[in-house]
Amino acid sequence: MHAARRQAAWRALSLSARLSACLVVAGMASAQAVPDDDGPLLRFGLTTGVTASSNRGLDTDSLGSTTELTSRLDFLMRFATPIQALELSGDLGLRSVSGAEAGSLPSGLYDPALTLGYDRQSRDARLDVDLFLRERDVSSSELQFDPDAADFDLLEDTGTQRRFGADVALELRRRAPFGITLSAGYTGLRYSDTDDPDLTDQDRFRVGARFRLDLNPATQATLNARFSTFEDFGDTEGRRDTFSLDGTLRRSMTNGSATLRANATDTEDGTRYTLSAGRTLETELWEVTGVLGLTRGVDGTVDPTGELGLTRALPNGELTASLARSVRSNTDDEEQEVTTLRLGYATQLTPLTAFNASYAFTDRDAADDGDDGSFSVLSVGVQHSLTRDWSLNVGLQHRINDDATSGKASDSQLSITVRRSLLVRR
């Protein structure tokens, strides 16, 4: 990727940390939590607040502080019966920006989103259909980041990014010892009002089949076959095809489970192989997960991979820690090594007040040495229920970006938001 992508990609990770900091910014995930009761449902939410950042753009030479006044309206409509459900959700923001980023973050309406989902199930089958459409300001640090897929989508410059697509999954023989799930999806990415040659339209198609075999009540084997095509319309390389075959054997035990996994992923650059074994131990207060494996990259290098996760139940909260290292493909299907450390603490101080703190560190080594870098973020937040419908959220966050090309930069951010939710049932 170009330097502009590398410098801006780490800003995207800040959104992941912001979302995972347990509602440091209120209401982003609340619209997705839907009661399971059948019958029509209508919910509205309004989130209003102010965010002050010392170096929002994480520039090596800070341009100064930025203040954002935002209001965001979200809604959800759900119509459900015992066998099927239709759900429509969306949101739209209104923003006023002052300070260093006023030129790159336009004021007014921003980041509209719309999602439509349908699912239908019978005793032995299930169908899920999802359609989505979302616009983002290219210069916003709120462009999506997917930590599981290592998608660094935040890019510099000005303009609009439109992401749209659909996903379909059909699960058959749900209650039989042998089952199959067929899936397909499409994601499109379009840019407008930008002169940056790096901001190019993209398409990704994907199909997959998952086979499940219950060997006995405690042992299950699965085989996943996936094929995807990625095309960047501004890249002379053209379309990139990726095929992945993944087999897992899982056995349930009285105090946890054990897994054995093998994966082969074929890309335009070569084939990557992974073999790993894992064990989960569960006690009354602790849950320990350990995975150890080896990955042979497309260049023939063999690297150790794995994960160690700890969860400790507290009287009024939870303590978590995880360390993971993996070799995987990024958003452009290029191989990279990713090491991630995460620490989290959450507690209910009173019946109305909750506190959380988290730390996340991610280090990335790409096949292209110039694309290396690390990002860390420390977050603390307090959530307080003012009334049945109103809630107050206060969050403090410190981010550090260390890019191999552009250098090191940091930012401190304070967010204060108030949210009201209105739920209506028939």
Side-chain angles (χ1 to χ4, degrees), residues 15-16 18-20 22-33 43 45-47 70-74 89-93 110-111 113 134 136 140-144 391 393 417 419 421:
L15 175 62
S16 175
R18 183 183 303 176
L19 295 176
S20 64
C22 302
L23 299 180
V24 169
V25 179
M28 296 296 290
S30 59
Q32 304 303 321
R43 179 168 60 201
L46 178 64
T47 305
T70 59
S71 290
R72 195 159 193 90
L73 176 67
D74 59 79
S89 63
D91 57 80
L92 179 65
Y110 76 106
D111 293 358
R134 174 174 289 276
R136 294 286 195 181
S140 172
S141 67
E142 295 181 355
L143 282 175
Q144 296 177 351
S391 61
N393 297 262
T417 59
R419 176 175 174 80
S421 298

Side-chain angles (χ1 to χ4, degrees), residues 229-241:
T229 65
F230 170 77
E231 185 170 5
D232 190 327
F233 296 105
D235 194 333
T236 57
E237 186 177 351
R239 196 180 81 170
R240 296 173 62 91
D241 296 336

